Amino acid sequence: MRITQPSKSAAGLKAVFHSMRMALKSMSLVKTWKVLAPLNQKGGTDCPGCAWPDPDHRSNLGEFCENGVKAIAEEAIERSIGASFFSKYSINSLRNQSDYWLGQQGRLVTPMMVRKGEKNYTSISWDEAFDLIASHLNQRLSPDDAIFYTSGRTSNEAAFLYQLFIRIFGTNNLPDCSNMCHESSGVALNHTLGIGKGTVKLEDFYHAELILIFGQNPGTNHPRMLSALEKAKKHGAKVVVINPLKEAGLLKFNNPQAVSGILGQGTDLADLYLQVKINEDVALLKILLMRLIEKAEKSPKIIDQDFIAQKTEGFEAFINKIKSQDYHSLVARTGLEVSQIEVLIDWLSRKDKIIACWAMGLTQHVNAVDNIQEIVNLLLLKGSIGKVGAGTCPVRGHSNVQGDRTMGVWEKPSKQFLDTLATTFGFEPPRKHGVDVVQAIALMHKEPGKYFISLGGNFLSAAPDTDFTTQALEQTQLSVHISTKLNRSHLHHGEIGLILPCLGRTDTIIEKSGPQTLTVENSMGTVHTTRGFVKSHTDRLLSEPHIIAQIASRTIGNDIVDWHALIDDYDRIRTLISKAVNGFESFNEKLKKDGIFDLPNGPRNQQFTTDIGKARFTVNELPNYQIDPDELLMMTIRSHDQFNTTIYGLDDRYRGIYGTRKIVLMNKTDIKKHDLDTASPVTVYNFYGDKRREVSGLKIVAYNIPKGCIATYFPECNALIPLELKARKSNTPSSKSVKVRLLQKA
């Protein structure tokens, strides 16, 4: 382990070096070229990492970032895992390995099965696996005994088939990774604006006057956003960052495709960096709203009176609540200096082309929905929605996590969507809401014998309350994981556990009609094609749509849907999507014409599709913590060598941490106050209810973080996040504000 000073800039030649080193560690030079050349290019392969949109004009030098290369290297790795690997390594021995080690072993290439009491996975044929799944699902007492999870990286075609099969099967138990990240955004935005997505396009960044970035680390999680911010800065935009941690990617961007970036001069991004205390964003927003309303009493044009009168409702209740707040107590909560806040207030007073961006730093709190709704209040006050250079920008994680929801992967489908399914396919879909991730874990734990099928993802490592979730998975009758790589979820199976290996984004898909193309939706509502360009490790691997169709055919038959015909030619899947999903009319024709198109977005044109036909101002509550003197507030974060649950390495280069993931970032004042020694390991623990949760052996790292706050890595410290600690209305785990104590043995 080695600790150095955090970086003050991101990307540059170092990023190129680390990218290529990772790629060549996993692939030959020839294969590296084959998978990187078409990455994020028109008609090429969509990066399996983040969902940041592609610019209209793609770079010929490479339209990808460091962590995009890492994601590709992880998937296109030339090493493989077959039956001999599982014969060599028992499940218990694999549990003792790190997530990084598991991922580095290679691609899964053959279906595997294990029964409770057996020490090793053994190979099974595809037909045996499909028949086994079908026989178990058809033994259920109720369709609701089965839970079907989905990761965000799956294609539109796979997601649509998956939800269609499950609803014909008879349940809405469709939890997905959105439940754990941006569900709070969807709930807040649907209520206030009428659509659970952002309202801006990439081009809006180039016309914005002020860009607010809340709770987000684009330098690691979506580095191509830095290029958009750089361009926005060149066009005159101010960038304001609101985040407890100073993140290198928001300080300076060394564009590796520009001379200034190569020489290390770079572009300073943040004009103002507000290191707010964990989850005090609402307090800051209320200060901004209060001061803007006060200033508007003398200068009415500071707020958009006409927009408020014509396009919104709820303004009076909102303004009365804001005026009732105490300014000084709000400032104290944020931990910020008044002078810093006043700079932002001045900019907000003079500008109305405002974009607000956010990620999980806002969405994973008990009051997460309030956080997002207060951002919407600010934008509505300024009339900064539905105009060029202004609007909401929730920045999504996994590529196509937004498309999953569009395709109907949701435990709470709308009546309109279900009615369309009924009309299109001639069956009555289930109307009762299903379970989300938190509810699914609680259900599997409470009622042993459920069936759990996961389309992609690493459910166990992504979920909160790790020990509780482990017990829940191990109590299932059948657990099935459709995966490209080995992960920790495979090691805690039910009475019967199955691993079904599938093709990835970089792999060519060949069906009876020939090579197939898939589609995805980026975080700004644009749909486009993706296809692989390299041959897979073995011709035994199947695509996700193919695997879903086989399970569906053998479980529910082919009376309602001819599953085999659909996977012969994926155009047939898209024909069904065009009939059942709004915005996808003439799906195949649009793809053949341009390969890309935008989905409808009413608020983008100030057409607010709420139940009242207008945008809503809302009244939002401040977080209500009761933190004892010996407690701290913990947020979980990702390292730079990581994307979601995938660990690329043991370094966090931008934060100056090398060779370990077992750390606690802590303010120097708090280290002294709690009488802690950075040379000795520490145990982080808490009590929620009567249960003690703990993670031991962590290294304290003195860091620039607000007093009273600490940061630890996800998923290593997910065990500290109780299942019951979740966001109001959205049920998202509160992974970013968890009360903890630290214990160090003398």
Side-chain angles (χ1 to χ4, degrees):
M1 183 180 67
R2 181 168 60 94
I3 307 296
T4 66
Q5 288 297 312
S7 297
K8 295 182 179 180
S9 64
L13 285 179
K14 277 189 178 180
V16 176
F17 169 76
H18 285 280
S19 300
M20 291 304 102
R21 186 175 69 171
M22 179 68 75
L24 296 174
K25 180 181 175 182
S26 301
M27 303 174 287
S28 68
L29 182 61
V30 172
K31 188 171 184 180
T32 297
W33 169 254
K34 283 185 177 180
V35 297
L36 291 184
L39 190 59
N40 294 323
Q41 299 291 349
K42 293 179 180 179
T45 307
D46 188 64
C47 179
C50 79
W52 188 254
D54 304 315
D56 287 338
H57 301 287
R58 318 288 167 91
S59 170
N60 292 326
L61 294 176
E63 191 59 53
F64 48 79
C65 65
E66 177 185 348
N67 273 9
V69 175
K70 291 176 181 176
I72 286 293
E74 185 80 9
E75 178 184 292
I77 189 170
E78 292 181 332
R79 295 186 290 277
S80 63
I81 294 177
S84 60
F85 173 88
F86 287 101
S87 176
K88 178 181 178 181
Y89 292 101
S90 69
I91 292 172
N92 277 336
S93 69
L94 292 172
R95 288 175 181 171
N96 293 326
Q97 299 291 348
S98 68
D99 292 84
Y100 170 62
W101 186 93
L102 294 175
Q104 288 301 300
Q105 300 314 298
R107 284 284 295 274
L108 296 162
V109 294
T110 188
M112 304 300 297
M113 182 187 76
V114 66
R115 297 181 184 274
K116 188 76 78 174
E118 295 177 345
K119 295 181 179 180
N120 298 72
Y121 272 98
T122 56
S123 62
I124 183 175
S125 72
W126 280 110
D127 282 335
E128 289 172 321
F130 293 141
D131 287 341
L132 181 64
I133 295 168
S135 67
H136 275 269
L137 290 178
N138 285 327
Q139 291 172 14
R140 86 279 185 187
L141 296 176
S142 163
D144 291 333
D145 286 336
I147 295 164
F148 300 87
Y149 175 74
T150 316
S151 161
R153 66 162 184 78
T154 196
S155 65
N156 287 327
E157 290 74 14
F160 182 79
L161 290 189
Y162 197 54
Q163 66 82 29
L164 180 59
F165 154 53
I166 292 160
R167 292 195 164 105
I168 297 173
F169 178 75
T171 185
N172 283 313
N173 283 349
L174 279 156
D176 73 334
C177 59
S178 288
N179 296 152
M180 293 187 278
C181 54
H182 270 286
E183 195 69 57
S184 301
S185 299
V187 170
L189 294 174
N190 267 309
H191 180 65
T192 56
L193 303 180
I195 189 169
K197 305 176 182 181
T199 65
V200 300
K201 297 277 292 175
L202 184 58
E203 294 74 21
D204 286 309
F205 278 79
Y206 314 144
H207 299 279
E209 297 172 321
L210 182 61
I211 300 171
L212 308 177
I213 301 175
F214 291 85
Q216 187 185 350
N217 179 15
T220 287
N221 298 322
H222 17 262
R224 287 195 301 150
M225 182 180 178
L226 302 183
S227 299
L229 293 176
E230 180 184 50
K231 190 171 181 179
K233 291 276 294 184
K234 290 178 178 178
H235 287 192
K238 296 282 189 183
V239 174
V240 178
V241 180
I242 300 99
N243 198 54
L245 293 177
K246 284 274 184 83
E247 302 289 12
L250 289 168
L251 296 175
K252 178 181 284 189
F253 173 47
N254 293 324
N255 190 335
Q257 297 193 10
V259 174
S260 61
I262 293 173
L263 296 177
Q265 298 166 337
T267 301
D268 293 326
L269 293 183
D271 296 281
L272 180 64
Y273 210 120
L274 301 178
Q275 284 186 264
V276 68
K277 287 187 174 182
I278 290 174
N279 198 25
E280 292 297 350
D281 305 89
V282 167
L284 174 60
L285 285 159
K286 287 186 184 298
I287 294 169
L288 303 178
L289 292 163
M290 179 188 299
R291 294 286 289 117
L292 288 172
I293 291 167
E294 288 174 357
K295 290 166 78 73
E297 291 175 357
K298 295 182 179 179
S299 303
K301 290 185 178 180
I302 284 176
I303 64 177
D304 194 329
Q305 307 277 2
D306 290 340
F307 175 85
I308 292 169
Q310 297 170 18
K311 297 290 184 178
T312 74
E313 281 199 4
F315 182 67
E316 290 303 318
F318 153 75
I319 202 170
N320 289 336
K321 179 68 174 180
I322 291 298
K323 287 183 176 181
S324 72
Q325 300 293 314
D326 181 74
Y327 173 81
H328 296 289
S329 65
L330 290 174
V331 172
R333 291 186 67 132
T334 66
L336 300 171
E337 298 292 331
V338 171
S339 59
Q340 296 176 297
I341 300 172
E342 287 297 326
V343 171
L344 177 53
I345 292 167
D346 178 58
W347 290 345
L348 286 167
S349 300
R350 294 186 287 109
K351 303 176 188 299
D352 61 5
K353 292 183 178 181
I354 304 166
I355 294 176
C357 309
W358 67 88
M360 287 184 284
L362 255 64
T363 65
Q364 292 183 324
H365 302 282
V366 170
N367 53 288
V369 174
D370 298 77
N371 286 340
I372 286 89
Q373 288 183 165
E374 206 73 284
I375 287 177
V376 173
N377 282 341
L378 177 61
L379 295 175
L380 293 179
L381 191 71
K382 296 292 297 180
S384 299
I385 293 181
K387 63 174 63 171
V388 174
T392 59
C393 182
V395 182
R396 307 303 298 263
H398 255 321
S399 165
N400 210 44
V401 62
Q402 190 160 291
D404 260 15
R405 185 59 56 87
T406 303
M407 289 296 106
V409 175
W410 193 23
E411 76 280 357
K412 298 175 183 176
S414 68
K415 181 180 182 299
Q416 179 185 14
F417 181 79
L418 294 179
D419 287 346
T420 303
L421 285 185
T423 302
T424 303
F425 296 99
F427 78 101
E428 178 54 34
R431 302 285 174 165
K432 183 180 73 171
H433 286 171
V435 293
D436 59 26
V437 165
V438 167
Q439 293 165 337
I441 294 168
L443 180 64
M444 290 187 291
H445 196 277
K446 182 180 178 181
E447 299 180 15
K450 300 300 182 187
Y451 309 89
F452 178 80
I453 298 180
S454 178
L455 180 61
N458 182 355
F459 184 83
L460 177 57
S461 292
D465 219 337
T466 309
D467 294 340
F468 189 89
T469 302
T470 297
Q471 294 167 10
L473 288 172
E474 290 180 345
Q475 291 187 158
T476 58
Q477 183 174 333
L478 175 71
S479 58
V480 180
H481 297 275
I482 302 168
S483 307
T484 57
K485 304 285 294 293
L486 182 65
N487 66 54
R488 195 155 301 279
S489 296
H490 305 148
L491 309 180
H492 296 278
H493 55 83
E495 289 293 327
I496 296 177
L498 285 171
I499 304 173
L500 305 183
C502 64
L503 294 167
R505 287 277 179 89
T506 57
D507 300 319
T508 55
I509 300 175
I510 307 294
E511 301 289 5
K512 286 186 178 179
S513 63
Q516 303 297 315
T517 296
L518 298 169
T519 62
V520 295
E521 177 187 344
N522 67 34
S523 64
M524 294 181 182
T526 300
V527 177
H528 60 90
T529 60
T530 179
R531 62 192 182 99
F533 290 85
V534 295
K535 187 177 180 181
S536 67
H537 292 69
T538 170
D539 57 10
R540 295 188 65 211
L541 287 180
L542 303 176
S543 71
E544 288 179 332
H546 197 126
I547 292 171
I548 294 162
Q550 287 284 1
I551 295 172
S553 174
R554 300 181 194 219
T555 303
I556 59 175
N558 295 280
D559 293 340
I560 296 175
V561 175
D562 186 348
W563 300 99
H564 298 296
L566 291 179
I567 57 174
D568 286 348
D569 185 345
Y570 293 1
D571 277 357
R572 296 170 183 169
I573 303 174
R574 287 184 281 272
T575 296
L576 295 184
I577 293 172
S578 68
K579 296 177 181 178
V581 183
N582 182 43
F584 285 82
E585 297 79 10
S586 304
F587 193 178
N588 283 313
E589 289 75 12
K590 290 177 180 177
L591 293 181
K592 288 171 183 175
K593 181 181 178 182
D594 299 314
I596 188 170
F597 62 93
D598 294 330
L599 292 175
N601 191 311
R604 190 171 284 165
N605 303 306
Q606 294 192 353
Q607 301 297 314
F608 298 107
T609 48
T610 62
D611 55 346
I612 57 174
K614 290 186 176 183
R616 275 191 177 91
F617 280 95
T618 52
V619 173
N620 301 296
E621 299 300 322
L622 290 160
N624 182 23
Y625 295 117
Q626 295 180 348
I627 298 179
D628 294 336
D630 62 339
E631 288 183 320
L632 296 150
L633 202 59
M634 180 192 81
M635 63 177 180
T636 58
I637 59 175
R638 297 172 180 147
S639 78
H640 189 60
D641 265 354
Q642 175 179 5
F643 186 78
N644 290 347
T645 59
T646 304
I647 312 299
Y648 302 135
L650 300 179
D651 297 341
D652 196 350
R653 191 171 80 248
Y654 291 160
R655 296 192 182 105
I657 299 167
Y658 296 85
T660 184
R661 292 183 54 81
K662 302 198 73 174
I663 56 93
V664 179
L665 302 184
M666 194 170 182
N667 187 287
K668 288 181 179 179
T669 303
D670 287 326
I671 296 173
K672 185 176 180 180
K673 173 185 174 182
H674 292 272
D675 195 24
L676 296 169
D677 178 8
T678 57
S680 302
V682 67
T683 295
V684 182
Y685 70 99
N686 59 20
F687 290 94
Y688 279 86
D690 296 327
K691 185 174 179 180
R692 177 185 169 112
R693 296 170 176 83
E694 69 173 51
V695 176
S696 301
L698 301 179
K699 163 75 174 177
I700 297 173
V701 177
Y703 208 80
N704 182 3
I705 186 171
K707 287 184 287 186
C709 305
I710 66 169
T712 59
Y713 287 134
F714 153 103
E716 282 78 5
C717 287
N718 283 12
L720 295 164
I721 306 164
L723 196 69
E724 64 269 23
L725 191 68
K726 56 191 179 182
R728 297 186 296 267
K729 299 179 184 179
S730 72
N731 241 20
T732 298
S734 181
S735 306
K736 293 287 192 287
S737 50
V738 183
K739 293 190 294 184
V740 298
R741 293 178 169 92
L742 275 63
L743 175 66
Q744 197 168 58
K745 293 181 180 179

